[in-house]
Amino acid sequence: MDAIVPNTPIDTSTELFGRKLAFPLVSAPIGSIAKQYNPTDDVRDFNETCMAACESMGILHFYSTGLEPRVHAAAIESRLRHDNCGIPVINPEADENIIKQMELCHADRSPLAITVVVDSAGLPHLKTGHGVSGTKSVEQLQRLKEAAKVPFVVKGVMTAKSALKAVEAGADAIIVSNHGGRVLSDTPGTAEVLPEIAATVKGKTTIIVDGGIRSGLDIFKALALGADMCMICRPVLIAYYGGGTEGMECYFDKLKAELVDTMYMCGARSIPDICGEMVRV
């Protein structure tokens, strides 16, 4: 804490891909809530509800394009309905399939950015259901970056070495993520690797981090460790089940209020003020 500072207002606003955000948070993609959570539910409704909440709160939703064309088509409709506040996240399928999905993303109105996931490359259902799904080389990512035609995001970076490869491929942003710890046991938490990654590529690309972020205080800590933006998944889904759009808005509002409180008591009056000396590691 540092309360020996001018008593001035807190500004949590920031910018991502040319869009001003109310605070440095985006919601994370979910591929299928029917397979992962409740078999009678549809991820299309989750995406629609989440984009409505994000539009209301001045943030963005990263949505999975799913494994079925109807999921992607519905997500595009939701994105267009809600002020283009959704960013597509495409699974590591065959390059030609990814490029087709990228082209579909540009229907009517281009998204602010396009994301390709690499941290799900080892998931069995991707390997069995989509044959050629898997890891991507720097050269493949470079081709996908060119095909994206908008800022290009690589999700699933967990080492400084991988971060440098993503930067070499032209990534405008990286998402530090271990896919919720679901693809490789004993993978470190993202907070453990974030400082090294930030020290290596900070300023060369935008750094988004997910994994275990549950409060506005956690958002503050992630930014102090080097992230530019935070991403949250499971608690957003819980808020969806608890109260739909209103439940999500309530949760986002709580996160922002907690971030404001933490910034106020640590002497940070704007997002760029948050730095490493404000946390102990």
Side-chain angles (χ1 to χ4, degrees), residues 27 33 42-57 61 74-75 78-79 81-82 85 236-237 239-249 252:
S27 57
I33 60 176
D42 194 327
V43 74
R44 292 177 295 178
D45 184 68
F46 170 80
N47 284 332
E48 165 65 25
T49 303
C50 196
M51 279 190 243
C54 287
E55 180 187 21
S56 170
M57 296 301 299
H61 173 49
S78 294
R79 173 168 63 82
R81 257 193 306 273
H82 297 293
C85 73
V236 176
L237 183 68
Y240 164 73
Y241 280 122
T245 299
E246 184 180 2
M248 290 176 167
E249 290 172 344
F252 293 146

Side-chain angles (χ1 to χ4, degrees), residues 180-213:
R182 294 168 47 227
V183 292
L184 183 64
S185 61
D186 293 347
T187 299
T190 53
E192 296 178 81
V193 300
L194 176 58
E196 181 182 356
I197 291 172
T200 303
V201 299
K202 186 79 168 181
K204 299 176 183 178
T205 190
T206 297
I207 302 173
I208 305 170
V209 63
D210 79 355
I213 297 166

Side-chain angles (χ1 to χ4, degrees), residues 160-244:
K161 182 179 180 180
S162 289
L164 285 172
K165 290 179 184 179
V167 169
E168 181 184 352
D172 300 282
I174 60 172
I175 301 176
V176 179
S177 175
N178 62 14
H179 210 79
R182 294 168 47 227
V183 292
L184 183 64
S185 61
D186 293 347
T187 299
T190 53
E192 296 178 81
V193 300
L194 176 58
E196 181 182 356
I197 291 172
T200 303
V201 299
K202 186 79 168 181
K204 299 176 183 178
T205 190
T206 297
I207 302 173
I208 305 170
V209 63
D210 79 355
I213 297 166
R214 298 294 180 263
S215 67
L217 178 59
D218 288 341
I219 293 173
F220 181 93
K221 289 186 284 187
L223 298 182
L225 291 175
D228 298 300
M229 186 79 47
C230 292
M231 175 179 276
I232 296 182
C233 185
R234 289 180 182 88
V236 176
L237 183 68
I238 293 169
Y240 164 73
Y241 280 122

